[in-house]
Amino acid sequence: MRIDVVTIFPEYFGPLDLSLIGKARASGLLEVGVHDLRTWTHDVHRTVDDSPYGGGPGMVMRPEPWGEALDALVAGGRGEPAGGAPGGGVRLVVPTPAGEVFTQAMAHDLAAEQRLIFACGRYEGIDQRVLDHAATRMPVTEVSLGDYVLFGGEVAVLVMCEAIVRLLPGVLGNADSLAEESHAHGVLESPVYTKPPEWRGHPVPEILRSGDHGRIARWRRDQALLRTARRRPDLLAALDPGTLDKRDVALLSGAGFQVRGADMAK
Ligand code: JD2
C-alpha cells in the first residue's frame, strides 16, 4: 500500500517513522509520502486560507493549493506513482467533524486499497469544491474520528493510518491477534493479566492460573459480555442474537441486562 498525506504541518507525522508503522515501511509493505500543502502555493506568504463566503468565524482553506496538490499526487508528478486503473486506483480520505464515523469496518475497507491520499484540513476546513471536484476523478470519503472537535485533520490521520496499517497482510505476524480482538466480534475485550500473580494486594483471577482452558474461555467470554453491557450498551444492542448462546443470555439477564431477541439464542 502507498499512503500520501497532505498537510500544513508535516512535522506532525514523525510518528509514522516509528514502531510497527516504521517497520512496515522498512520492510516494503508500506510506502508513505508526507507533503507540505504550502509547496503548492505561489504567493510570497504561501497563503492557504481565506475568509468564509457567507460570513461567520474563522478561515477556510482555499481550493487552489489543494487542487494542485491532488493533481500532482494522482498524476505521479512528484515521483509518486500514478493512480492507475479504476479499482486499483487511489482513494481520497478527508477527516472532518462532519464525516461518517471511522470504524474498524472502514479500516478494513481502506486497508484493501492500493493507494490512499489523506487531506488534512485546518481552520474551519477545506473549501467543499475541492472534495466535489476530486469526487469526479476518484472515490472520496469524509470521515470523523468521533463526536468531539479537534484543531485539524492531522491527529485523525495518524489514528486512521495506525488502524489501517496493522491490518495489512504481513504487518502483525499473528493472525489470531487480529481475529480475536475487540470489535471483530462486536464485543469488548476481556481484561488481561501477566506476572506477578499478586501485585500491590491485587491477585490475578485464580481461574486464569487454573490451566482449565474451557473454564478460562468461558470466564473471558463472561467478562467481555459484562463489560460490553455496562460500557457499550450500543454494541450489545447491535449484536446478532444468533451469536449469543443460552448461557450468554442467562449471564446478562442475571446482571440485569435484557437481550433483544434473546429467544433466538442457541
Ligand atoms: C478539523 C474544525 C470544523 C470546527 C479540519 C477537525 C475530527 N473527530 C473530529 N473532530 N474534529 C475533527 C477535525 C478534522 C479535520 C479538521 N478542523 C477544525 N473544523 C469545525 C473545527 C479543521 C476528525 N476527523
Side-chain angles (χ1 to χ4, degrees), residues 95-97 121-125 143-146 148-153 156:
T96 160
R122 281 268 150 177
Y123 315 107
E124 301 298 309
V143 284
S144 166
L145 277 201
Y148 38 82
V149 182
L150 306 172
F151 280 131

Side-chain angles (χ1 to χ4, degrees), residues 46-69:
R46 310 177 88 199
T47 311
V48 295
D49 63 320
D50 206 334
S51 51
Y53 271 119
M59 300 292 269
V60 172
M61 291 190 117
R62 298 170 53 93
E64 300 95 326
W66 281 110
E68 289 193 31

Side-chain angles (χ1 to χ4, degrees), residues 37-89:
L37 178 69
R38 292 190 201 275
T39 63
W40 288 287
T41 58
H42 303 288
D43 62 311
V44 283
H45 297 112
R46 310 177 88 199
T47 311
V48 295
D49 63 320
D50 206 334
S51 51
Y53 271 119
M59 300 292 269
V60 172
M61 291 190 117
R62 298 170 53 93
E64 300 95 326
W66 281 110
E68 289 193 31
L70 295 176
D71 287 350
L73 292 176
V74 170
R78 262 192 184 176
E80 326 295 344

Side-chain angles (χ1 to χ4, degrees), residues 243-259:
T243 66
L244 298 173
D245 62 22
K246 290 237 165 69
R247 235 195 115 163
D248 293 332
V249 174
L251 170 88
L252 289 168
S253 66
F257 300 98
Q258 233 29 65
V259 182

